[in-house]
Amino acid sequence: DIVLTQSPALAVSLEQRATISCKTSQNVDNYGISYMHWYQQKPGQQPKLLIYEGSNLASGIPARFSGSGSGTDFTLTIDPVEADDIATYYCQQSKDYPRTFGGGTKLELK
Amino acid sequence: EVQLQESGPGLVKPSQSLSLTCSVTGYSITSNYWGWIRKFPGNKMEWMGYISYSGSTSYNPSLKSRISITRDTSKNQFFLQLNSVTTEDTATYYCANGGYYFDYWGQGVMVTVSS
């Protein structure tokens, strides 16, 4: 299985930039597409798709969110961070079966 | 608007089967892929498997032969059955739309395995 590694937590100030990283045990690119996706989850809610295929913004997601990276190193950036963004963020790969998720990064306020 | 809703018992005894239903509105399950994902206490997320628009299935090998995903197209529902459950199957179970990434999710149902 492809293992996705995220830092458990990140502390950030409002109005600042947050960069959340995800490293994979294998390359998740294929034919120019990065099979890396990002989700936000708040307590008591279902996950929400933010970014698909590395850098594509999902429908209805504000442009403060962006995704970048390739190969085995990926980043979710939130700029600027708003209070509503305090949540846990997960990366997920679909290059191979089984689909796998990172352990999640909890975004906290400084 | 696409909506998914899980239903099923919140408590299952060890060694028994866990059975959940996902009811879909706003989208036909004869299109796209429809799957199950669970989140364990402590936040680990696991993709369990999916059923495709044609009825074919793909499962996480970690679940070996314990899992089955089926569907009823007349009711626009799909189902999860997980056999021989243990306390390690205690989790929140989500149904979701998608084969590569998951753009619509149900609210989730918490299932506890306990005697």
Side-chain angles (χ1 to χ4, degrees):
Chain A
D1 296 4
I2 297 177
V3 176
L4 281 62
T5 302
Q6 298 181 247
S7 297
L10 176 67
V12 65
S13 301
L14 293 178
E15 302 298 316
Q16 299 302 303
R17 175 186 299 171
T19 54
I20 297 171
S21 71
C22 178
K23 297 185 186 301
T24 63
S25 62
Q26 300 174 35
N27 189 327
V28 298
D29 292 354
N30 198 23
Y31 296 109
I33 296 174
S34 292
Y35 289 94
M36 174 58 67
H37 323 291
W38 291 93
Y39 302 85
Q40 176 195 68
Q41 187 174 32
K42 298 178 181 178
Q45 296 185 16
Q46 68 269 56
K48 178 193 295 186
L49 178 68
L50 300 175
I51 302 288
Y52 63 95
E53 294 174 356
S55 60
N56 296 301
L57 203 62
S59 177
I61 302 303
R64 301 182 289 103
F65 293 88
S66 62
S68 63
S70 64
T72 61
D73 287 275
F74 295 88
T75 300
L76 172 71
T77 300
I78 312 170
D79 190 12
V81 170
E82 297 186 358
D84 189 52
D85 302 333
I86 300 306
T88 300
Y89 293 85
Y90 295 90
C91 54
Q92 175 245 322
Q93 67 80 26
S94 61
K95 168 69 165 29
D96 202 359
Y97 288 98
R99 308 317 193 196
T100 49
F101 291 83
T105 296
K106 188 174 183 180
L107 190 64
E108 301 169 330
L109 284 178
K110 270 185 189 175
Chain B
E1 181 187 4
V2 182
Q3 293 189 328
L4 294 82
Q5 179 67 58
E6 305 89 349
S7 58
L11 181 64
V12 181
K13 294 185 187 305
S15 80
Q16 294 189 343
S17 293
L18 180 163
S19 296
L20 298 176
T21 298
C22 183
S23 301
V24 181
T25 57
Y27 205 134
S28 170
I29 65 168
T30 58
S31 298
N32 216 313
Y33 295 79
W34 305 88
W36 293 92
I37 295 158
R38 61 183 178 176
K39 182 178 177 182
F40 298 101
N43 287 345
K44 178 186 172 184
M45 302 262 286
E46 179 180 64
W47 173 80
M48 301 180 72
Y50 66 58
I51 187 164
S52 78
Y53 53 89
S54 67
S56 63
T57 55
S58 177
Y59 300 134
N60 192 321
S62 71
L63 298 168
K64 299 179 183 177
S65 57
R66 295 200 297 137
I67 186 173
S68 176
I69 299 176
T70 57
R71 65 179 184 172
D72 183 337
T73 57
S74 68
K75 294 181 178 179
N76 218 39
Q77 294 176 326
F78 63 103
F79 313 100
L80 170 70
Q81 181 170 319
L82 187 65
N83 299 323
S84 305
V85 298
T86 71
T87 55
E88 296 194 350
D89 293 308
T90 293
T92 298
Y93 288 75
Y94 297 96
C95 58
N97 163 253
Y100 288 94
Y101 51 87
F102 313 108
D103 40 8
Y104 297 103
W105 296 65
Q107 294 273 26
V109 58
M110 185 178 298
V111 178
T112 300
V113 179
S114 174
S115 54

